[in-house]
Amino acid sequence: MRLHHLTLQAFGPFAGTHTVDFDALSADGLFLLHGDTGAGKSTLFTAICFALYGEPPVDRDLMLRSHHAPADLLTQVTLDVTISGHRLRIDRVPQQMRPKKNGTGETPQKAETRLSRWTTDSAGKGHWEPSSKSHQETGKEIKDLLGMSRTQFCQVVLLPQNEFTKFLYADAGKRRELLGKLFHTDRYAFIERWLSDHSRTIQKNRDAARDEVLHLAARIHQAAGPDLKSQYDAPSADAAHDVTDPALAWAGDLIQASQADALTAQADAEKAKKNQLAQQKLEAAARDLHRQQTTYATAREQLDWLDEQTPHQEALTRRRDQARRAQQLAPLLHALSTARADHSRAQSSERDARTRLLAEHAELEAADLATAGQRIRDDIAVLNALLPEEAGLHQLTTELKRIDAERQDFALQQSTARDWLEQETAQRTALEIRREAAREAEEESRRQQTQLENLSGRMAAAERRDAHRAQITATEQRLAAAEEEAEKAAQAHIGIRRRRTEGMAAELATGLTDGAPCPVCGSCSHPNPAQAPDGHPTREDEQAAEKAHQRLQQKRDKIAAELHKLREDAAAATGEAGDTPLASLKADHETLTKQLADSLKRAADRRSAEEGLLALDREHTAMTQQDSSATAGLSDRNAHYDNLSQHHAELTAKLDAARGTAPTLAARIDDLTRTADHLEQAAEASRTANTATQTLHTRTSEATDAATAQGFGTLTQAEQALLSEQDLTGIEEEINTWREARASHQAVLDDPALQQAAAQPAADIETAAARRAAADDQHAQAVTASSTAQTRTTTLTDLTTALAEVVDRLKALEQAHHTARHLADLASGTASGTRVRMQLEAYVLAARLEQVVAAANTRLHLMSEGRYALRHSDHQAAHGARSGLGLEVTDAWTGHPRKTDTLSGGESFFASLSLALGLADVVTHEAGGNPLDTLFIDEGFGTLDDDTLHNVLDVLDSLRAHDRTVGVISHIPELRRRITQRLHVRKGPTGSTLAHLTEAAE
């Protein structure tokens, strides 16, 4: 991967549009990113990561939108990059809020992604060709070309010193977590989990098979019962080896015992069957004799009972004969009965009809009643002629009520309108007062808003003022301490130089040799060379003191510059905020905020008051119209009501005379109609009663003469003797039934076989039945015992067959569980006989760690001048913990390994850097060997001395020699002097800016 151009727009601390030309910046293969803390150096890498993967380097939410950018400038990143030989341009716009194109306010801006490829046409001219606008397609293509996930990219392309110092010091667990993410070894953890789950599944199936064997054994034991015995012991859960072949032997022995018991029970059942048949024959003979004896005795009893009924039968015969003679008088007797009934009904109807007549009509004869009814019918005709006028009176009454209701409604509308118009003036005055008060509150709120904005600015300036003053105090203390240290270092340097100058003769004497001329006097003889006193400083001591003095001077100057900058910032903040305490400003701000809220609340009433005035105007117009309309309508309805009232009074007087006491003409007509109907009904009933009396006298004379002729003394005797046809038939049937029954029982008594059976002793069927029942019980018990024995044998055979199948399955599961458990233990590192407790994933990661350590040591050897080498360790961890990812450092000076946390700060840095570079090589190789032409190294150089820094830069130069571009992110001034290609990131109140510098700093 090689970076060409990066364009940022409203991104992070960069408010405008900035472009980084990596082609120019990488001209020397090594470039430096430097600038103040918080200026945005790391933001460049964030932009690169966001362009490639659509996400920032960290998993947490990160604000990409610049707070300094204008509202109409969208946040956007464009990256021109070559990956695996493909030149790509990636444009990404994150989701953000932007101003609406029409109107005010903001609207969401959706995230956008555009991928383009650099292609060459047939004429050899290159251009960008759009490739995709899909987030998913672009992300997949970038990931496939790089061969790395976002996490791997951030660990390989950006080498964060702090993170790899943690990796250097981490325990095996944390180191495993990081390596697992980079090398995607979760598949090995999945294999380990699958083997463990598979082992538990097979164990569960084996235990289930064992439980099934024990369950079948319990069922076999239950089916066998306590009577069957076996020479083998039943299987139990305590002895796992007894649930296979010994269990089958025990079950087979029980089957043989059951089969022998079934043969014995079958022989007993056949013997009981023969005895049962013999007893059934004896019981049948006894029951037949008992039936014959019972039949004869019953016939004797019934014949004696029938003989006792002979007098009753003779009386029935006499009654039958009288009824036959009376039947010849039946037509006359029926006609007499009908005449009696008609006479009684006619008299009753006449009495009822006369009870409904008026008192003056109650004693009239039939002809007079008819005449009175006709006179009433004539009066009804006269009243019917007046019915239309009564209907007209009802309509007139309804119309008067309607007009009166309209008069009242118009009067109410008139009153309502005039009352409202009287109250309108007070309402209008109140609304106008509210409108004026709201307008004044609105003007007051504008003034308060301006004051509040000014006060907020002063509060922010006061906060900066107080913060700068606190920093000034601390920085002054630091400057005093630095000046004191620099003064001491200067005195020490001067003292060492003076002492070295005083002993210079002794220093020169150390270089004299016999026969060689003295560099001072030229003599080749050195009889008494000067001797250096103890503790005489060397040239190296003087140089070291000078460097210490210079370093402390630089520290003092840096603090002095920082103090100057703080004082300028504090003065600027004081000029803006004044000397008013921050607490007072906050109190004023809170008071003014409350006043503004109150003013806005009062100003909000203006619209309501104006709407009320508009509504009042509309209602005034409506009420004025309502008053005029109601006055005109009321006058019209009063005149109409007076005319109708006079006509109503005249018609009412006429109809009252015709109605009499009735409420209406219809009611009067109904009363007269009922009276006429009652008179006509009474006349008809009187005529019918006279006719019925004459018919009854005639029928009585005819019936009396006929009864005397048939031999009856009186008409009453003939009527009593007469029976209905049904009663006569019933008497005939009763007489015939008695005669037939007597003949039937006599025939039974005459049967010789029954006479012979009656002469024998009484049959004992109870004894015969008891003997037969005992034989039945004995046979049933024998059959049940035989069936039970046979069923038990069948059940034991079936259960034993099932047991054999489960035992075969159990044997296979036992073997499978042994194999699966062994594989799971091997994968988890807990198998017996293993040298170290290393899991499968840890084993794979240990191999990767060895590769990383081997790649890291090639750089660490150069950086440490051959002193240090990293070594992978798989020793057993403490307290039996998992092992396999240990890391230690070997010191060539002592020849002994030691822990990584014993390294100094500078040693930890170049050891961590070696690890990071080694890991980058291994991950790159793991990702398919795609070359990563650009690397970024973040900080850590400040912990190195000059020689070590030189060695580290040599290693970085070696990376550059392999056609890699290395970007260093650091604050160290020495790097600015040694690296010519630099990208300076400056921060300011309006956002950060970028500057490409091409000369070493002085």
Side-chain angles (χ1 to χ4, degrees):
M1 180 191 74
R2 177 172 294 278
L3 304 177
H4 300 293
H5 297 89
L6 173 67
T7 301
L8 307 176
Q9 179 174 290
F11 192 89
F14 299 97
T17 302
H18 305 271
T19 300
V20 180
D21 187 353
F22 282 105
D23 288 336
L25 196 62
S26 306
D28 296 339
L30 184 66
F31 63 89
L32 175 67
L33 273 72
H34 65 95
D36 296 335
T37 301
K41 299 185 295 298
S42 300
T43 302
L44 297 178
F45 186 78
T46 300
I48 294 172
C49 183
F50 176 72
L52 292 173
Y53 292 95
E55 296 178 354
V58 292
D59 292 330
R60 60 181 174 84
D61 293 335
L62 189 65
M63 178 62 69
L64 303 180
R65 174 78 181 165
S66 175
H67 293 293
H68 303 284
D72 57 348
L73 186 65
L74 287 180
T75 298
Q76 184 174 353
V77 175
T78 302
L79 178 64
D80 180 3
V81 61
T82 297
I83 306 176
S84 299
H86 298 272
R87 181 79 176 265
L88 305 175
R89 185 176 67 190
I90 310 166
D91 291 307
R92 290 192 187 269
V93 176
Q95 183 176 351
Q96 56 193 291
M97 299 299 294
R98 62 170 177 80
K100 293 182 178 179
K101 295 180 179 179
N102 297 320
T104 60
E106 293 183 331
T107 185
Q109 166 68 42
K110 294 183 179 179
E112 297 180 1
T113 299
R114 294 182 294 275
L115 178 65
S116 303
R117 291 178 178 272
W118 181 260
T119 58
T120 304
D121 55 17
S122 58
K125 185 178 181 180
H127 65 279
W128 290 107
E129 181 177 345
S131 177
S132 175
K133 291 185 178 181
S134 170
H135 303 297
Q136 290 78 12
E137 291 180 0
T138 302
K140 183 177 184 304
E141 183 167 356
I142 296 298
K143 186 175 181 181
D144 291 342
L145 290 175
L146 281 174
M148 288 183 290
S149 66
R150 178 173 60 92
T151 302
Q152 290 176 316
F153 177 82
C154 295
Q155 292 287 0
V156 171
V157 177
L158 176 67
L159 305 183
Q161 183 265 341
N162 290 335
E163 291 297 324
F164 272 86
T165 302
K166 294 180 182 178
F167 180 77
L168 182 69
Y169 296 155
D171 56 19
K174 294 181 179 179
R175 195 171 288 128
R176 172 178 177 175
E177 180 180 357
L178 175 61
L179 293 176
K181 291 180 180 178
L182 293 178
F183 293 108
H184 297 293
T185 56
D186 51 348
R187 58 185 180 273
Y188 299 103
F190 172 78
I191 294 172
E192 181 183 342
R193 291 193 302 272
W194 185 89
L195 288 173
S196 178
D197 294 342
H198 180 63
S199 173
R200 286 195 294 269
T201 300
I202 294 181
Q203 181 180 1
K204 182 179 179 180
N205 294 336
R206 183 205 64 185
D207 294 342
R210 282 183 179 177
D211 294 340
E212 190 173 355
V213 168
L214 294 175
H215 177 67
L216 288 173
R219 292 180 61 189
I220 292 173
H221 189 276
Q222 181 181 6
D227 299 334
L228 294 184
K229 304 296 182 183
S230 174
Q231 60 180 334
Y232 302 104
D233 294 332
S236 63
D238 298 334
H241 60 280
D242 289 342
V243 298
T244 52
D245 292 336
L248 293 177
W250 166 76
D253 198 22
L254 289 178
I255 290 176
Q256 294 178 0
S258 178
Q259 290 173 344
D261 186 63
L263 292 175
T264 301
Q266 185 177 4
D268 293 341
E270 293 175 354
K271 181 179 179 181
K273 181 64 176 177
K274 293 178 180 180
N275 182 46
Q276 180 190 36
L277 292 175
Q279 294 299 327
Q280 287 177 350
K281 291 180 180 179
L282 292 175
E283 182 190 16
R287 291 188 179 279
D288 186 58
L289 177 60
H290 179 267
R291 180 184 57 78
Q292 291 177 345
Q293 290 177 344
T294 302
T295 300
Y296 186 85
T298 302
R300 179 76 270 172
E301 292 176 359
Q302 290 296 324
L303 185 58
D304 293 342
W305 180 75
L306 291 173
D307 289 343
E308 293 176 358
Q309 293 182 353
T310 300
H312 174 68
Q313 293 297 322
E314 292 175 352
L316 285 178
T317 301
R318 289 192 298 270
R319 185 178 179 187
R320 179 194 62 186
D321 294 340
Q322 290 178 355
R324 287 176 177 175
R325 287 187 288 112
Q327 275 188 333
Q328 297 180 11
L329 300 174
L332 294 176
L333 293 176
H334 178 70
L336 176 59
S337 177
T338 301
R340 287 174 180 171
D342 292 342
H343 180 264
S344 177
R345 284 195 299 272
Q347 287 184 336
S348 177
S349 297
E350 184 183 9
R351 286 193 300 269
D352 292 341
R354 289 185 178 274
T355 58
R356 293 192 292 271
L357 296 176
L358 298 176
E360 63 268 21
H361 301 147
E363 301 300 332
L364 296 178
E365 295 297 331
D368 297 334
L369 290 173
T371 301
Q374 184 60 42
R375 287 198 302 268
I376 293 176
R377 293 291 181 188
D378 296 338
D379 294 338
I380 291 173
V382 175
L383 293 176
N384 282 327
L386 295 176
L387 284 175
E389 294 188 10
E390 186 180 43
L393 179 64
H394 289 314
Q395 294 177 357
L396 189 58
T397 303
T398 302
E399 181 68 12
L400 284 172
K401 291 181 179 179
R402 184 185 65 78
I403 294 174
D404 187 57
E406 292 178 354
R407 291 166 60 199
Q408 294 178 6
D409 183 55
F410 279 125
L412 179 60
Q413 292 181 19
Q414 183 187 57
S415 176
T416 301
R418 292 179 177 178
D419 290 343
W420 187 91
L421 291 172
E422 290 178 359
Q423 298 173 4
E424 176 195 6
T425 304
Q427 295 180 10
R428 184 176 298 277
T429 302
L431 288 173
E432 289 175 349
I433 293 174
R434 285 175 52 193
R435 180 179 62 181
E436 182 62 23
R439 187 189 61 77
E440 293 176 355
E442 186 175 354
E443 294 178 357
E444 184 178 356
S445 67
R446 294 194 189 97
R447 294 192 300 271
Q448 291 170 344
Q449 183 69 41
T450 302
Q451 295 174 2
L452 192 62
E453 292 176 357
N454 295 334
L455 190 58
S456 298
R458 291 185 63 195
M459 284 176 57
E463 291 177 351
R464 295 195 304 272
R465 176 199 64 196
D466 295 347
H468 290 327
R469 287 176 177 177
Q471 292 174 356
I472 287 172
T473 301
T475 306
E476 288 175 345
Q477 296 175 354
R478 288 170 50 211
L479 179 60
E483 289 175 345
E484 184 178 355
E485 291 178 353
E487 181 64 25
K488 291 181 180 178
Q491 295 297 330
H493 180 215
I494 293 172
I496 291 174
R497 176 179 295 178
R498 178 182 53 77
R499 290 167 54 202
R500 180 167 176 256
T501 301
E502 292 174 353
M504 185 60 70
E507 183 177 339
L508 292 174
T510 57
L512 296 177
T513 56
D514 293 337
C518 174
V520 178
C521 63
S523 174
C524 293
S525 174
H526 315 295
N528 187 19
Q531 298 293 326
D534 293 338
H536 178 71
T538 63
R539 180 180 181 182
E540 288 76 10
D541 293 337
E542 183 181 357
Q543 291 177 348
E546 184 180 6
K547 288 181 179 181
H549 180 212
Q550 292 175 352
R551 185 173 63 255
L552 291 176
Q553 283 181 327
Q554 292 174 355
K555 179 180 177 181
R556 180 197 61 195
D557 295 341
K558 182 178 180 180
I559 295 175
E562 182 179 351
L563 179 60
H564 178 72
K565 180 65 169 56
L566 287 173
R567 285 173 176 168
E568 289 181 350
D569 293 343
T574 302
E576 184 177 351
D579 294 328
T580 304
L582 179 61
S584 299
L585 293 175
K586 288 183 177 180
D588 294 342
H589 185 274
E590 182 177 359
T591 301
L592 191 57
T593 301
K594 293 180 179 179
Q595 293 174 354
L596 176 61
D598 179 67
S599 298
L600 292 175
K601 181 178 180 181
R602 289 185 286 110
D605 189 45
R606 178 176 181 178
R607 183 172 181 178
S608 176
E610 291 176 346
E611 291 177 352
L613 287 171
L614 292 175
L616 197 64
D617 292 337
R618 291 192 296 270
E619 195 166 0
H620 174 82
T621 302
M623 286 299 175
T624 302
Q625 294 176 354
Q626 177 177 324
D627 182 41
S628 300
S629 300
T631 302
L634 182 60
S635 177
D636 178 69
R637 295 306 185 276
N638 285 335
H640 192 194
Y641 186 83
D642 293 340
N643 294 332
L644 291 179
S645 295
Q646 182 178 358
H647 181 55
H648 181 273
E650 295 173 353
L651 189 57
T652 300
K654 179 180 178 180
L655 292 177
D656 287 344
R659 284 194 295 263
T661 59
T664 62
L665 285 177
R668 178 61 176 164
I669 292 172
D670 290 341
D671 292 342
L672 293 177
T673 301
R674 282 192 297 272
T675 301
D677 291 341
H678 292 162
L679 288 171
E680 293 171 354
Q681 292 169 2
E684 181 64 26
S686 179
R687 288 191 294 268
T688 302
N690 292 334
T691 302
T693 301
Q694 295 174 2
T695 301
L696 176 61
H697 181 70
T698 302
R699 294 291 182 267
T700 301
S701 297
E702 292 174 354
T704 302
D705 294 342
T708 303
Q710 286 294 331
F712 292 103
T714 62
L715 182 60
T716 302
Q717 290 179 354
E719 290 175 344
Q720 292 176 350
L722 182 63
L723 294 177
S724 65
E725 188 66 29
Q726 183 178 3
D727 293 340
L728 184 59
T729 301
I731 292 175
E732 289 284 357
E733 290 178 354
E734 183 177 355
I735 293 173
N736 293 333
T737 299
W738 177 79
R739 290 175 180 175
E740 290 172 0
R742 194 176 184 284
S744 175
H745 291 310
Q746 186 62 48
V748 172
L749 293 177
D750 293 341
D751 188 354
L754 295 179
Q755 292 176 356
Q756 182 181 1
Q760 295 183 15
D764 189 1
I765 61 174
E766 295 181 357
T767 301
R771 291 177 179 175
R772 195 268 307 163
D776 289 344
D777 293 342
Q778 183 181 5
H779 176 261
Q781 293 175 359
V783 170
T784 301
S786 176
S787 177
T788 301
Q790 187 63 38
T791 301
R792 179 172 61 184
T793 301
T794 302
T795 302
L796 290 175
T797 302
D798 295 341
L799 291 174
T800 302
T801 302
L803 180 65
E805 295 176 356
V806 177
V807 166
D808 291 341
R809 189 166 76 251
L810 177 59
K811 290 179 180 179
L813 289 172
E814 291 281 5
Q815 182 62 33
H817 175 258
H818 176 74
T819 302
R821 182 70 265 168
H822 181 64
L823 289 175
D825 290 343
L826 284 177
S828 63
T830 58
S832 59
T834 54
R835 184 176 62 86
V836 292
R837 291 167 52 84
M838 187 181 299
Q839 295 173 279
L840 178 61
E841 183 182 12
Y843 178 80
V844 175
L845 291 177
R848 293 288 187 269
L849 184 58
E850 289 180 351
Q851 297 173 355
V852 172
V853 168
N857 281 334
T858 59
R859 278 86 178 208
L860 183 59
H861 181 78
L862 296 175
M863 295 183 188
S864 65
E865 296 181 339
R867 178 179 178 182
Y868 293 115
L870 295 171
R871 190 178 74 172
H872 162 244
S873 172
D874 59 0
H875 292 311
Q876 181 79 17
H879 306 294
R882 303 291 184 182
S883 50
L885 296 177
L887 196 64
E888 55 190 18
V889 61
T890 300
D891 190 346
W893 290 3
T894 63
H896 296 288
R898 56 192 173 103
K899 295 182 178 180
T900 55
D901 57 5
T902 60
L903 296 173
S904 66
E907 293 170 341
S908 297
F909 168 69
F910 61 69
S912 301
L913 179 60
S914 300
L915 267 178
L917 294 173
L919 185 64
D921 291 341
V922 175
V923 172
T924 302
H925 181 269
E926 182 75 12
N930 294 330
L932 296 176
D933 301 324
T934 305
L935 294 177
F936 292 88
I937 301 174
D938 188 4
E939 277 300 349
F941 296 93
T943 59
L944 305 178
D945 56 44
D946 291 342
D947 292 337
T948 305
L949 179 61
H950 177 74
N951 294 334
V952 170
L953 291 177
D954 287 343
V955 172
L956 298 181
D957 284 337
S958 68
L959 296 177
R960 178 173 58 181
H962 290 84
D963 200 22
R964 280 187 178 180
T965 298
V966 180
V968 177
I969 304 173
S970 178
H971 298 82
I972 304 303
E974 180 63 23
L975 293 178
R976 278 178 267 174
R977 288 191 289 269
R978 298 189 56 171
I979 299 176
T980 58
Q981 297 290 339
R982 293 182 288 118
L983 185 63
H984 186 197
V985 184
R986 299 186 180 94
K987 67 179 180 180
T990 59
S992 297
T993 58
L994 298 172
H996 182 190
L997 308 178
T998 57
E999 296 181 358
E1002 295 297 333

